[in-house]
Amino acid sequence: MLSVTLPPVPETGSARLPTRTELGVWRSFLRAHARLTRIMEAELIAEQRLSLAAYDVLVQLAEAPQYRLRMTELADAVLLSRSGVTRLVDRLERAGLVLRERADGDGRGVVAVLTPLGLDRLRIASGTHLTGVTRHFAEVFSLAELEAFGRSCERLASEDR
C-alpha cells in the first residue's frame, strides 16, 4: 500500500496553505458545483437532448453581437479547450444549430454563428434550464443569501482581485 504524508493543514490562516475551515468550504463549493452540474446536465439531456455545454454555447452566441463569436472567444466564454469547443461546434453545426464563417477581415479567423433553428432550440431548452436554476439553486437560499453569494462569486470571478 502506498503511503502519502501530506503537510498538516494549519488551523489559522496562512499565505501558503488554507485553514481547515477554508479547505472545507472550498471542498463544499466543489461538491455543490459538481452536484448542480450533474443535475442540470441530466435534466437538459432527458428533456431536451442537449448537453449543458451545448446549451452554454447557444447562450453565449445568443448574447453576442449579431449572434456570433470567434471560436477563441467562445472557448474562453464556455471554459472549454479550443479543441473541445471545435468538436462541440461540429456537432451543433451538423444539427443545424450553429454555422461557421470566416471572420471579417481575417482569412484565418473563424466565427461561430447561431442559426435561427439554434435560437429556437435555445428558447425551448431555456424553460428546462431556468426551471432547474430556480429549483436546484435559487430556492435553496433566501434573497439576502443569494445577494451575498452573488457578491462573493463576482469577487472570485473578478480579474482585479
Side-chain angles (χ1 to χ4, degrees), residues 74-125:
L74 186 57
D76 291 342
V78 298
L79 303 176
L80 289 174
S81 66
R82 288 187 178 141
S83 62
V85 167
T86 298
R87 288 189 301 272
L88 181 53
V89 169
D90 285 345
R91 290 191 300 274
L92 294 172
E93 191 172 28
R94 283 193 299 272
L97 306 179
V98 170
L99 59 90
R100 284 183 235 221
E101 296 178 350
R102 288 276 169 215
D104 294 334
D106 182 355
R108 296 179 307 148
V110 176
V111 295
V113 182
L114 185 64
T115 65
L117 180 63
L119 186 57
D120 288 342
R121 185 77 188 279
L122 174 61
R123 285 185 180 122
I124 294 166

mmCIF file of all heavy atoms in Angstrom, residues 74-125:
data_model
loop_
_atom_site.group_PDB
_atom_site.id
_atom_site.type_symbol
_atom_site.label_atom_id
_atom_site.label_comp_id
_atom_site.label_asym_id
_atom_site.label_seq_id
_atom_site.Cartn_x
_atom_site.Cartn_y
_atom_site.Cartn_z
ATOM 1 N N LEU A 74 -15.344 32.088 -27.915
ATOM 2 C CA LEU A 74 -16.332 31.115 -27.464
ATOM 3 C C LEU A 74 -15.702 30.123 -26.497
ATOM 4 O O LEU A 74 -16.277 29.802 -25.454
ATOM 5 C CB LEU A 74 -16.943 30.398 -28.667
ATOM 6 C CG LEU A 74 -18.096 29.455 -28.405
ATOM 7 C CD1 LEU A 74 -19.247 30.155 -27.688
ATOM 8 C CD2 LEU A 74 -18.587 28.848 -29.720
ATOM 9 N N ALA A 75 -14.497 29.673 -26.798
ATOM 10 C CA ALA A 75 -13.790 28.742 -25.905
ATOM 11 C C ALA A 75 -13.555 29.382 -24.546
ATOM 12 O O ALA A 75 -13.738 28.735 -23.512
ATOM 13 C CB ALA A 75 -12.465 28.301 -26.531
ATOM 14 N N ASP A 76 -13.167 30.642 -24.521
ATOM 15 C CA ASP A 76 -12.956 31.337 -23.256
ATOM 16 C C ASP A 76 -14.266 31.513 -22.495
ATOM 17 O O ASP A 76 -14.307 31.373 -21.280
ATOM 18 C CB ASP A 76 -12.325 32.711 -23.485
ATOM 19 C CG ASP A 76 -10.886 32.638 -23.964
ATOM 20 O OD1 ASP A 76 -10.252 31.569 -23.802
ATOM 21 O OD2 ASP A 76 -10.402 33.647 -24.501
ATOM 22 N N ALA A 77 -15.335 31.812 -23.210
ATOM 23 C CA ALA A 77 -16.630 32.071 -22.569
ATOM 24 C C ALA A 77 -17.225 30.822 -21.947
ATOM 25 O O ALA A 77 -17.858 30.894 -20.887
ATOM 26 C CB ALA A 77 -17.609 32.663 -23.589
ATOM 27 N N VAL A 78 -17.046 29.669 -22.572
ATOM 28 C CA VAL A 78 -17.656 28.441 -22.054
ATOM 29 C C VAL A 78 -16.680 27.581 -21.265
ATOM 30 O O VAL A 78 -17.040 26.512 -20.792
ATOM 31 C CB VAL A 78 -18.321 27.604 -23.170
ATOM 32 C CG1 VAL A 78 -19.443 28.361 -23.829
ATOM 33 C CG2 VAL A 78 -17.315 27.128 -24.196
ATOM 34 N N LEU A 79 -15.462 28.045 -21.130
ATOM 35 C CA LEU A 79 -14.456 27.352 -20.327
ATOM 36 C C LEU A 79 -14.158 25.942 -20.830
ATOM 37 O O LEU A 79 -13.994 25.011 -20.053
ATOM 38 C CB LEU A 79 -14.867 27.322 -18.845
ATOM 39 C CG LEU A 79 -15.124 28.690 -18.225
ATOM 40 C CD1 LEU A 79 -15.623 28.530 -16.793
ATOM 41 C CD2 LEU A 79 -13.894 29.561 -18.275
ATOM 42 N N LEU A 80 -14.136 25.802 -22.127
ATOM 43 C CA LEU A 80 -13.707 24.554 -22.749
ATOM 44 C C LEU A 80 -12.401 24.824 -23.486
ATOM 45 O O LEU A 80 -12.103 25.966 -23.828
ATOM 46 C CB LEU A 80 -14.736 24.061 -23.770
ATOM 47 C CG LEU A 80 -16.056 23.525 -23.251
ATOM 48 C CD1 LEU A 80 -16.988 23.228 -24.420
ATOM 49 C CD2 LEU A 80 -15.849 22.284 -22.412
ATOM 50 N N SER A 81 -11.664 23.782 -23.753
ATOM 51 C CA SER A 81 -10.462 23.939 -24.562
ATOM 52 C C SER A 81 -10.889 24.282 -25.991
ATOM 53 O O SER A 81 -12.027 24.044 -26.387
ATOM 54 C CB SER A 81 -9.647 22.647 -24.563
ATOM 55 O OG SER A 81 -10.378 21.634 -25.239
ATOM 56 N N ARG A 82 -9.967 24.808 -26.751
ATOM 57 C CA ARG A 82 -10.294 25.125 -28.149
ATOM 58 C C ARG A 82 -10.703 23.869 -28.907
ATOM 59 O O ARG A 82 -11.644 23.900 -29.690
ATOM 60 C CB ARG A 82 -9.113 25.812 -28.818
ATOM 61 C CG ARG A 82 -8.945 27.218 -28.313
ATOM 62 C CD ARG A 82 -7.901 27.987 -29.077
ATOM 63 N NE ARG A 82 -7.848 29.341 -28.536
ATOM 64 C CZ ARG A 82 -6.757 30.029 -28.369
ATOM 65 N NH1 ARG A 82 -5.602 29.516 -28.723
ATOM 66 N NH2 ARG A 82 -6.804 31.241 -27.873
ATOM 67 N N SER A 83 -10.011 22.777 -28.648
ATOM 68 C CA SER A 83 -10.379 21.536 -29.349
ATOM 69 C C SER A 83 -11.748 21.044 -28.881
ATOM 70 O O SER A 83 -12.534 20.523 -29.678
ATOM 71 C CB SER A 83 -9.317 20.460 -29.159
ATOM 72 O OG SER A 83 -9.186 20.114 -27.798
ATOM 73 N N GLY A 84 -12.048 21.216 -27.597
ATOM 74 C CA GLY A 84 -13.363 20.822 -27.094
ATOM 75 C C GLY A 84 -14.480 21.634 -27.705
ATOM 76 O O GLY A 84 -15.541 21.106 -28.077
ATOM 77 N N VAL A 85 -14.256 22.939 -27.853
ATOM 78 C CA VAL A 85 -15.260 23.800 -28.488
ATOM 79 C C VAL A 85 -15.403 23.436 -29.955
ATOM 80 O O VAL A 85 -16.516 23.382 -30.484
ATOM 81 C CB VAL A 85 -14.900 25.293 -28.325
ATOM 82 C CG1 VAL A 85 -15.736 26.171 -29.227
ATOM 83 C CG2 VAL A 85 -15.091 25.716 -26.884
ATOM 84 N N THR A 86 -14.286 23.150 -30.614
ATOM 85 C CA THR A 86 -14.346 22.766 -32.030
ATOM 86 C C THR A 86 -15.204 21.520 -32.216
ATOM 87 O O THR A 86 -16.073 21.483 -33.095
ATOM 88 C CB THR A 86 -12.922 22.531 -32.579
ATOM 89 O OG1 THR A 86 -12.195 23.761 -32.489
ATOM 90 C CG2 THR A 86 -12.956 22.059 -34.021
ATOM 91 N N ARG A 87 -14.998 20.514 -31.386
ATOM 92 C CA ARG A 87 -15.796 19.282 -31.506
ATOM 93 C C ARG A 87 -17.269 19.545 -31.205
ATOM 94 O O ARG A 87 -18.154 19.030 -31.886
ATOM 95 C CB ARG A 87 -15.235 18.202 -30.582
ATOM 96 C CG ARG A 87 -13.909 17.631 -31.068
ATOM 97 C CD ARG A 87 -13.473 16.417 -30.266
ATOM 98 N NE ARG A 87 -13.316 16.701 -28.848
ATOM 99 C CZ ARG A 87 -12.198 17.148 -28.281
ATOM 100 N NH1 ARG A 87 -11.132 17.357 -29.024
ATOM 101 N NH2 ARG A 87 -12.143 17.371 -26.986
ATOM 102 N N LEU A 88 -17.536 20.347 -30.182
ATOM 103 C CA LEU A 88 -18.915 20.659 -29.822
ATOM 104 C C LEU A 88 -19.594 21.460 -30.926
ATOM 105 O O LEU A 88 -20.731 21.172 -31.314
ATOM 106 C CB LEU A 88 -18.961 21.415 -28.495
ATOM 107 C CG LEU A 88 -20.333 21.801 -27.970
ATOM 108 C CD1 LEU A 88 -21.278 20.607 -27.897
ATOM 109 C CD2 LEU A 88 -20.197 22.448 -26.599
ATOM 110 N N VAL A 89 -18.909 22.453 -31.471
ATOM 111 C CA VAL A 89 -19.476 23.249 -32.566
ATOM 112 C C VAL A 89 -19.675 22.367 -33.802
ATOM 113 O O VAL A 89 -20.664 22.533 -34.527
ATOM 114 C CB VAL A 89 -18.615 24.500 -32.854
ATOM 115 C CG1 VAL A 89 -19.024 25.185 -34.154
ATOM 116 C CG2 VAL A 89 -18.732 25.482 -31.685
ATOM 117 N N ASP A 90 -18.793 21.398 -34.025
ATOM 118 C CA ASP A 90 -19.005 20.437 -35.125
ATOM 119 C C ASP A 90 -20.367 19.756 -34.976
ATOM 120 O O ASP A 90 -21.135 19.664 -35.937
ATOM 121 C CB ASP A 90 -17.924 19.347 -35.127
ATOM 122 C CG ASP A 90 -16.581 19.809 -35.650
ATOM 123 O OD1 ASP A 90 -16.512 20.879 -36.289
ATOM 124 O OD2 ASP A 90 -15.591 19.086 -35.399
ATOM 125 N N ARG A 91 -20.656 19.270 -33.782
ATOM 126 C CA ARG A 91 -21.931 18.580 -33.538
ATOM 127 C C ARG A 91 -23.112 19.530 -33.688
ATOM 128 O O ARG A 91 -24.140 19.183 -34.271
ATOM 129 C CB ARG A 91 -21.931 17.926 -32.154
ATOM 130 C CG ARG A 91 -20.988 16.735 -32.049
ATOM 131 C CD ARG A 91 -21.176 15.937 -30.776
ATOM 132 N NE ARG A 91 -20.959 16.679 -29.553
ATOM 133 C CZ ARG A 91 -19.768 16.864 -28.965
ATOM 134 N NH1 ARG A 91 -18.679 16.352 -29.511
ATOM 135 N NH2 ARG A 91 -19.675 17.528 -27.838
ATOM 136 N N LEU A 92 -22.978 20.747 -33.142
ATOM 137 C CA LEU A 92 -24.060 21.722 -33.246
ATOM 138 C C LEU A 92 -24.264 22.158 -34.697
ATOM 139 O O LEU A 92 -25.404 22.408 -35.116
ATOM 140 C CB LEU A 92 -23.767 22.934 -32.355
ATOM 141 C CG LEU A 92 -23.748 22.658 -30.850
ATOM 142 C CD1 LEU A 92 -23.263 23.884 -30.085
ATOM 143 C CD2 LEU A 92 -25.113 22.211 -30.356
ATOM 144 N N GLU A 93 -23.197 22.204 -35.454
ATOM 145 C CA GLU A 93 -23.304 22.562 -36.869
ATOM 146 C C GLU A 93 -24.025 21.455 -37.642
ATOM 147 O O GLU A 93 -24.905 21.735 -38.472
ATOM 148 C CB GLU A 93 -21.907 22.810 -37.445
ATOM 149 C CG GLU A 93 -21.911 23.447 -38.817
ATOM 150 C CD GLU A 93 -20.518 23.863 -39.275
ATOM 151 O OE1 GLU A 93 -19.518 23.248 -38.858
ATOM 152 O OE2 GLU A 93 -20.456 24.819 -40.064
ATOM 153 N N ARG A 94 -23.693 20.200 -37.354
ATOM 154 C CA ARG A 94 -24.381 19.081 -38.017
ATOM 155 C C ARG A 94 -25.871 19.080 -37.699
ATOM 156 O O ARG A 94 -26.688 18.685 -38.518
ATOM 157 C CB ARG A 94 -23.744 17.745 -37.609
ATOM 158 C CG ARG A 94 -22.434 17.464 -38.310
ATOM 159 C CD ARG A 94 -21.974 16.035 -38.147
ATOM 160 N NE ARG A 94 -21.751 15.650 -36.764
ATOM 161 C CZ ARG A 94 -20.608 15.816 -36.101
ATOM 162 N NH1 ARG A 94 -19.575 16.370 -36.702
ATOM 163 N NH2 ARG A 94 -20.501 15.438 -34.851
ATOM 164 N N ALA A 95 -26.220 19.548 -36.493
ATOM 165 C CA ALA A 95 -27.628 19.609 -36.093
ATOM 166 C C ALA A 95 -28.322 20.864 -36.634
ATOM 167 O O ALA A 95 -29.535 21.029 -36.440
ATOM 168 C CB ALA A 95 -27.728 19.583 -34.568
ATOM 169 N N GLY A 96 -27.576 21.747 -37.288
ATOM 170 C CA GLY A 96 -28.157 22.947 -37.864
ATOM 171 C C GLY A 96 -28.370 24.082 -36.876
ATOM 172 O O GLY A 96 -29.046 25.062 -37.187
ATOM 173 N N LEU A 97 -27.775 23.975 -35.693
ATOM 174 C CA LEU A 97 -27.974 24.981 -34.657
ATOM 175 C C LEU A 97 -26.954 26.114 -34.731
ATOM 176 O O LEU A 97 -27.208 27.216 -34.232
ATOM 177 C CB LEU A 97 -27.920 24.327 -33.273
ATOM 178 C CG LEU A 97 -28.867 23.147 -33.047
ATOM 179 C CD1 LEU A 97 -28.688 22.573 -31.655
ATOM 180 C CD2 LEU A 97 -30.298 23.547 -33.312
ATOM 181 N N VAL A 98 -25.817 25.829 -35.329
ATOM 182 C CA VAL A 98 -24.711 26.781 -35.429
ATOM 183 C C VAL A 98 -24.099 26.614 -36.812
ATOM 184 O O VAL A 98 -24.158 25.527 -37.393
ATOM 185 C CB VAL A 98 -23.649 26.465 -34.338
ATOM 186 C CG1 VAL A 98 -22.379 27.260 -34.530
ATOM 187 C CG2 VAL A 98 -24.213 26.710 -32.952
ATOM 188 N N LEU A 99 -23.530 27.680 -37.332
ATOM 189 C CA LEU A 99 -22.718 27.548 -38.537
ATOM 190 C C LEU A 99 -21.427 28.308 -38.328
ATOM 191 O O LEU A 99 -21.301 29.107 -37.410
ATOM 192 C CB LEU A 99 -23.465 28.025 -39.781
ATOM 193 C CG LEU A 99 -23.958 29.465 -39.844
ATOM 194 C CD1 LEU A 99 -22.907 30.365 -40.464
ATOM 195 C CD2 LEU A 99 -25.221 29.516 -40.680
ATOM 196 N N ARG A 100 -20.449 27.982 -39.156
ATOM 197 C CA ARG A 100 -19.150 28.646 -39.071
ATOM 198 C C ARG A 100 -18.952 29.507 -40.299
ATOM 199 O O ARG A 100 -19.333 29.114 -41.396
ATOM 200 C CB ARG A 100 -18.027 27.621 -39.016
ATOM 201 C CG ARG A 100 -17.897 26.961 -37.706
ATOM 202 C CD ARG A 100 -16.719 26.043 -37.792
ATOM 203 N NE ARG A 100 -17.175 24.726 -37.427
ATOM 204 C CZ ARG A 100 -16.490 23.915 -36.669
ATOM 205 N NH1 ARG A 100 -15.313 24.263 -36.234
ATOM 206 N NH2 ARG A 100 -16.967 22.752 -36.357
ATOM 207 N N GLU A 101 -18.322 30.647 -40.062
ATOM 208 C CA GLU A 101 -17.979 31.552 -41.155
ATOM 209 C C GLU A 101 -16.572 32.074 -40.926
ATOM 210 O O GLU A 101 -16.086 32.080 -39.794
ATOM 211 C CB GLU A 101 -18.946 32.744 -41.192
ATOM 212 C CG GLU A 101 -20.372 32.385 -41.488
ATOM 213 C CD GLU A 101 -21.304 33.588 -41.455
ATOM 214 O OE1 GLU A 101 -20.872 34.689 -41.003
ATOM 215 O OE2 GLU A 101 -22.469 33.422 -41.854
ATOM 216 N N ARG A 102 -15.967 32.540 -41.997
ATOM 217 C CA ARG A 102 -14.670 33.201 -41.874
ATOM 218 C C ARG A 102 -14.889 34.543 -41.211
ATOM 219 O O ARG A 102 -15.878 35.222 -41.464
ATOM 220 C CB ARG A 102 -14.038 33.424 -43.247
ATOM 221 C CG ARG A 102 -13.547 32.170 -43.874
ATOM 222 C CD ARG A 102 -12.153 31.858 -43.344
ATOM 223 N NE ARG A 102 -11.794 30.515 -43.740
ATOM 224 C CZ ARG A 102 -11.057 29.714 -42.979
ATOM 225 N NH1 ARG A 102 -10.619 30.125 -41.819
ATOM 226 N NH2 ARG A 102 -10.759 28.519 -43.371
ATOM 227 N N ALA A 103 -13.964 34.928 -40.354
ATOM 228 C CA ALA A 103 -14.050 36.221 -39.681
ATOM 229 C C ALA A 103 -13.798 37.325 -40.697
ATOM 230 O O ALA A 103 -12.941 37.191 -41.569
ATOM 231 C CB ALA A 103 -13.038 36.296 -38.547
ATOM 232 N N ASP A 104 -14.561 38.400 -40.593
ATOM 233 C CA ASP A 104 -14.383 39.544 -41.481
ATOM 234 C C ASP A 104 -12.971 40.087 -41.355
ATOM 235 O O ASP A 104 -12.482 40.327 -40.256
ATOM 236 C CB ASP A 104 -15.380 40.652 -41.136
ATOM 237 C CG ASP A 104 -16.817 40.251 -41.415
ATOM 238 O OD1 ASP A 104 -17.019 39.385 -42.288
ATOM 239 O OD2 ASP A 104 -17.715 40.794 -40.756
ATOM 240 N N GLY A 105 -12.327 40.282 -42.490
ATOM 241 C CA GLY A 105 -11.010 40.899 -42.496
ATOM 242 C C GLY A 105 -9.890 40.011 -41.999
ATOM 243 O O GLY A 105 -8.772 40.467 -41.825
ATOM 244 N N ASP A 106 -10.169 38.747 -41.733
ATOM 245 C CA ASP A 106 -9.139 37.849 -41.208
ATOM 246 C C ASP A 106 -9.315 36.499 -41.891
ATOM 247 O O ASP A 106 -10.225 35.751 -41.565
ATOM 248 C CB ASP A 106 -9.279 37.721 -39.692
ATOM 249 C CG ASP A 106 -8.199 36.837 -39.075
ATOM 250 O OD1 ASP A 106 -7.394 36.240 -39.820
ATOM 251 O OD2 ASP A 106 -8.162 36.733 -37.841
ATOM 252 N N GLY A 107 -8.455 36.193 -42.803
ATOM 253 C CA GLY A 107 -8.571 34.944 -43.550
ATOM 254 C C GLY A 107 -8.408 33.698 -42.705
ATOM 255 O O GLY A 107 -8.817 32.620 -43.099
ATOM 256 N N ARG A 108 -7.794 33.835 -41.532
ATOM 257 C CA ARG A 108 -7.558 32.660 -40.692
ATOM 258 C C ARG A 108 -8.614 32.486 -39.613
ATOM 259 O O ARG A 108 -8.840 31.384 -39.145
ATOM 260 C CB ARG A 108 -6.186 32.748 -40.020
ATOM 261 C CG ARG A 108 -5.034 32.738 -41.003
ATOM 262 C CD ARG A 108 -3.708 32.853 -40.293
ATOM 263 N NE ARG A 108 -3.700 33.996 -39.404
ATOM 264 C CZ ARG A 108 -3.037 34.065 -38.256
ATOM 265 N NH1 ARG A 108 -2.312 33.067 -37.852
ATOM 266 N NH2 ARG A 108 -3.095 35.142 -37.518
ATOM 267 N N GLY A 109 -9.242 33.582 -39.195
ATOM 268 C CA GLY A 109 -10.186 33.511 -38.095
ATOM 269 C C GLY A 109 -11.514 32.877 -38.491
ATOM 270 O O GLY A 109 -11.972 33.016 -39.618
ATOM 271 N N VAL A 110 -12.111 32.182 -37.546
ATOM 272 C CA VAL A 110 -13.403 31.537 -37.770
ATOM 273 C C VAL A 110 -14.346 31.981 -36.661
ATOM 274 O O VAL A 110 -13.960 32.052 -35.494
ATOM 275 C CB VAL A 110 -13.265 29.994 -37.760
ATOM 276 C CG1 VAL A 110 -14.617 29.317 -37.887
ATOM 277 C CG2 VAL A 110 -12.330 29.537 -38.874
ATOM 278 N N VAL A 111 -15.575 32.275 -37.049
ATOM 279 C CA VAL A 111 -16.591 32.633 -36.072
ATOM 280 C C VAL A 111 -17.683 31.571 -36.089
ATOM 281 O O VAL A 111 -17.967 30.962 -37.121
ATOM 282 C CB VAL A 111 -17.212 34.028 -36.331
ATOM 283 C CG1 VAL A 111 -16.186 35.118 -36.155
ATOM 284 C CG2 VAL A 111 -17.851 34.109 -37.690
ATOM 285 N N ALA A 112 -18.271 31.358 -34.930
ATOM 286 C CA ALA A 112 -19.457 30.510 -34.820
ATOM 287 C C ALA A 112 -20.650 31.452 -34.803
ATOM 288 O O ALA A 112 -20.627 32.491 -34.139
ATOM 289 C CB ALA A 112 -19.403 29.699 -33.531
ATOM 290 N N VAL A 113 -21.691 31.072 -35.542
ATOM 291 C CA VAL A 113 -22.878 31.902 -35.677
ATOM 292 C C VAL A 113 -24.100 31.068 -35.298
ATOM 293 O O VAL A 113 -24.272 29.948 -35.793
ATOM 294 C CB VAL A 113 -23.034 32.427 -37.123
ATOM 295 C CG1 VAL A 113 -24.252 33.328 -37.244
ATOM 296 C CG2 VAL A 113 -21.773 33.141 -37.581
ATOM 297 N N LEU A 114 -24.931 31.615 -34.437
ATOM 298 C CA LEU A 114 -26.170 30.954 -34.039
ATOM 299 C C LEU A 114 -27.172 31.054 -35.181
ATOM 300 O O LEU A 114 -27.410 32.135 -35.716
ATOM 301 C CB LEU A 114 -26.727 31.623 -32.780
ATOM 302 C CG LEU A 114 -27.962 31.010 -32.143
ATOM 303 C CD1 LEU A 114 -27.656 29.602 -31.629
ATOM 304 C CD2 LEU A 114 -28.446 31.894 -30.995
ATOM 305 N N THR A 115 -27.758 29.940 -35.573
ATOM 306 C CA THR A 115 -28.761 29.930 -36.639
ATOM 307 C C THR A 115 -30.146 30.192 -36.041
ATOM 308 O O THR A 115 -30.336 30.062 -34.823
ATOM 309 C CB THR A 115 -28.788 28.573 -37.349
ATOM 310 O OG1 THR A 115 -29.233 27.572 -36.420
ATOM 311 C CG2 THR A 115 -27.417 28.204 -37.924
ATOM 312 N N PRO A 116 -31.125 30.532 -36.877
ATOM 313 C CA PRO A 116 -32.497 30.664 -36.369
ATOM 314 C C PRO A 116 -32.988 29.383 -35.681
ATOM 315 O O PRO A 116 -33.651 29.446 -34.647
ATOM 316 C CB PRO A 116 -33.314 30.988 -37.623
ATOM 317 C CG PRO A 116 -32.333 31.698 -38.522
ATOM 318 C CD PRO A 116 -31.018 30.978 -38.272
ATOM 319 N N LEU A 117 -32.636 28.226 -36.235
ATOM 320 C CA LEU A 117 -33.001 26.963 -35.595
ATOM 321 C C LEU A 117 -32.337 26.836 -34.227
ATOM 322 O O LEU A 117 -32.948 26.382 -33.260
ATOM 323 C CB LEU A 117 -32.610 25.783 -36.488
ATOM 324 C CG LEU A 117 -32.932 24.388 -35.955
ATOM 325 C CD1 LEU A 117 -34.441 24.219 -35.785
ATOM 326 C CD2 LEU A 117 -32.371 23.329 -36.900
ATOM 327 N N GLY A 118 -31.074 27.272 -34.126
ATOM 328 C CA GLY A 118 -30.360 27.236 -32.851
ATOM 329 C C GLY A 118 -31.002 28.150 -31.821
ATOM 330 O O GLY A 118 -31.127 27.791 -30.642
ATOM 331 N N LEU A 119 -31.447 29.325 -32.263
ATOM 332 C CA LEU A 119 -32.125 30.253 -31.360
ATOM 333 C C LEU A 119 -33.452 29.670 -30.883
ATOM 334 O O LEU A 119 -33.779 29.749 -29.697
ATOM 335 C CB LEU A 119 -32.331 31.604 -32.041
ATOM 336 C CG LEU A 119 -32.889 32.721 -31.179
ATOM 337 C CD1 LEU A 119 -32.010 32.979 -29.953
ATOM 338 C CD2 LEU A 119 -33.023 33.999 -32.014
ATOM 339 N N ASP A 120 -34.190 29.041 -31.783
ATOM 340 C CA ASP A 120 -35.450 28.391 -31.384
ATOM 341 C C ASP A 120 -35.192 27.265 -30.391
ATOM 342 O O ASP A 120 -35.900 27.123 -29.390
ATOM 343 C CB ASP A 120 -36.186 27.825 -32.607
ATOM 344 C CG ASP A 120 -36.783 28.902 -33.486
ATOM 345 O OD1 ASP A 120 -36.936 30.045 -33.015
ATOM 346 O OD2 ASP A 120 -37.100 28.596 -34.653
ATOM 347 N N ARG A 121 -34.165 26.478 -30.666
ATOM 348 C CA ARG A 121 -33.824 25.364 -29.777
ATOM 349 C C ARG A 121 -33.427 25.878 -28.397
ATOM 350 O O ARG A 121 -33.791 25.305 -27.372
ATOM 351 C CB ARG A 121 -32.702 24.551 -30.409
ATOM 352 C CG ARG A 121 -32.311 23.312 -29.673
ATOM 353 C CD ARG A 121 -33.334 22.187 -29.918
ATOM 354 N NE ARG A 121 -33.066 21.063 -29.075
ATOM 355 C CZ ARG A 121 -32.150 20.127 -29.320
ATOM 356 N NH1 ARG A 121 -31.426 20.179 -30.412
ATOM 357 N NH2 ARG A 121 -31.976 19.141 -28.473
ATOM 358 N N LEU A 122 -32.685 26.982 -28.371
ATOM 359 C CA LEU A 122 -32.277 27.593 -27.108
ATOM 360 C C LEU A 122 -33.497 28.078 -26.338
ATOM 361 O O LEU A 122 -33.591 27.875 -25.126
ATOM 362 C CB LEU A 122 -31.310 28.747 -27.361
ATOM 363 C CG LEU A 122 -30.906 29.564 -26.129
ATOM 364 C CD1 LEU A 122 -30.200 28.689 -25.097
ATOM 365 C CD2 LEU A 122 -30.034 30.739 -26.547
ATOM 366 N N ARG A 123 -34.428 28.731 -27.016
ATOM 367 C CA ARG A 123 -35.636 29.229 -26.339
ATOM 368 C C ARG A 123 -36.403 28.087 -25.673
ATOM 369 O O ARG A 123 -36.861 28.215 -24.543
ATOM 370 C CB ARG A 123 -36.533 29.958 -27.339
ATOM 371 C CG ARG A 123 -36.015 31.323 -27.696
ATOM 372 C CD ARG A 123 -37.001 32.071 -28.590
ATOM 373 N NE ARG A 123 -36.477 33.369 -28.915
ATOM 374 C CZ ARG A 123 -36.266 33.817 -30.142
ATOM 375 N NH1 ARG A 123 -36.572 33.072 -31.186
ATOM 376 N NH2 ARG A 123 -35.776 35.029 -30.334
ATOM 377 N N ILE A 124 -36.527 26.981 -26.355
ATOM 378 C CA ILE A 124 -37.237 25.828 -25.794
ATOM 379 C C ILE A 124 -36.464 25.229 -24.622
ATOM 380 O O ILE A 124 -37.017 24.962 -23.557
ATOM 381 C CB ILE A 124 -37.509 24.773 -26.887
ATOM 382 C CG1 ILE A 124 -38.483 25.343 -27.924
ATOM 383 C CG2 ILE A 124 -38.036 23.482 -26.283
ATOM 384 C CD1 ILE A 124 -38.564 24.543 -29.212
ATOM 385 N N ALA A 125 -35.156 25.039 -24.813
ATOM 386 C CA ALA A 125 -34.319 24.435 -23.765
ATOM 387 C C ALA A 125 -34.207 25.339 -22.541
ATOM 388 O O ALA A 125 -34.014 24.854 -21.418
ATOM 389 C CB ALA A 125 -32.930 24.117 -24.318
#
